[in-house]
Amino acid sequence: MTGPERYRHCQNAVVADASHPLRGVCIDGSRLAEFRPLFREHFRFVCVTLRRLGVREGDVEDVAQEVFVVVHRKLDSYDPADPARLWLFAICLRTASAYRRLARHRRQVQQDPEREVADSDPLADDLIAREQSRRLVLTALDSIELERRAVFVMHDLEEFSANQISETLSVPVNTVYSRLRRAREEFRKAIQRLRAAGDSR
């Protein structure tokens, strides 16, 4: 099952039934009207964000469900006047950080399927190139420490402002810019290193 197919499977499973358990937490009827549109609109964002924060592709579905358990639990604290993606990103960051601390992303003995670009169905050249670029970016992101990676993802990939990032992460704006500068440099060097390694094969 490909990444997008897994995401759709998880999304369909949770949204299809109001009583579907999210890690043992049921969506009660009184909150379903609030939860369902939030889930449908931002599920893909949560999955992409988790992957960018270092959650392995094979674990994204499970960790995304953990995120939405927290979302469901904290619905009362969410202010709809605030950008939903900022609120969700903060939850994703905490969840991804816990995931990394638990080392559930241990290296597998077998070949990492994320490094394989082609599968049993041949892709058109442009799709192969797009997938290679996506994995190059993810691999480069994996070389950046999480607190700097979070700022880089929020600013350069999600286009949140420095002030928004500062509020969400509870750090001074100057710290945001400092982390962003370091992350950009680390990302640039990682891309160069990965491309050089690819050219030498």
Side-chain angles (χ1 to χ4, degrees):
M1 188 181 291
T2 65
E5 287 171 342
R6 282 198 301 272
Y7 301 153
R8 284 194 297 273
H9 171 75
C10 179
Q11 183 179 24
N12 292 339
V14 176
V15 174
D17 185 352
S19 64
H20 181 86
L22 283 173
R23 292 293 185 195
V25 177
C26 293
I27 308 171
D28 60 69
S30 64
R31 288 187 166 186
L32 182 60
E34 298 174 73
F35 180 86
R36 180 174 284 179
L38 195 65
F39 182 94
R40 283 181 167 155
E41 183 176 353
H42 298 292
F43 178 78
R44 179 70 183 174
F45 166 78
V46 165
C47 290
V48 170
T49 296
L50 290 171
R51 187 63 194 90
R52 287 170 171 172
L53 293 176
V55 175
R56 288 178 57 86
E57 192 113 16
D59 294 333
V60 163
E61 178 182 317
D62 289 339
V63 181
Q65 290 195 31
E66 292 175 20
V67 168
F68 280 104
V69 168
V70 178
V71 169
H72 175 262
R73 192 171 66 240
K74 293 181 175 290
L75 269 178
D76 290 341
S77 69
Y78 170 59
D79 183 355
D82 295 331
R85 288 191 170 199
L86 276 173
W87 182 63
L88 290 168
F89 191 98
I91 297 173
C92 287
L93 180 57
R94 288 191 293 271
T95 308
S97 183
Y99 165 92
R100 290 162 62 88
R101 282 197 304 272
L102 291 171
R104 288 181 2 214
H105 63 313
R106 290 189 300 269
R107 292 183 181 275
Q108 299 178 1
V109 175
Q110 66 270 29
Q111 183 181 8
D112 185 349
E114 294 177 24
R115 306 299 183 194
E116 298 174 5
V117 174
D119 57 21
S120 57
D121 297 320
L123 297 173
D125 287 348
D126 59 335
L127 292 180
I128 292 175
R130 193 181 313 157
E131 179 66 6
Q132 287 174 330
S133 296
R134 184 185 76 90
R135 290 181 179 176
L136 180 69
V137 168
L138 290 174
T139 304
L141 285 174
D142 282 341
S143 70
I144 304 173
E145 196 275 332
L146 186 59
E147 68 176 17
R148 294 192 294 278
R149 184 195 311 197
V151 171
F152 180 83
V153 170
M154 293 180 81
H155 189 277
D156 284 12
L157 302 184
E158 295 298 335
E159 300 183 342
F160 295 133
S161 71
N163 286 333
Q164 288 176 316
I165 297 169
S166 171
E167 268 188 53
T168 302
L169 301 183
S170 300
V171 297
V173 173
N174 286 344
T175 300
V176 171
Y177 284 121
S178 173
R179 290 180 183 178
L180 182 59
R181 281 193 298 272
R182 288 188 62 187
R184 282 173 171 169
E185 181 63 16
E186 289 169 342
F187 183 78
R188 183 185 64 80
K189 289 180 177 178
I191 290 290
Q192 289 177 340
R193 186 170 61 250
L194 290 165
R195 283 178 174 161
D199 291 343
S200 67
R201 290 177 187 171

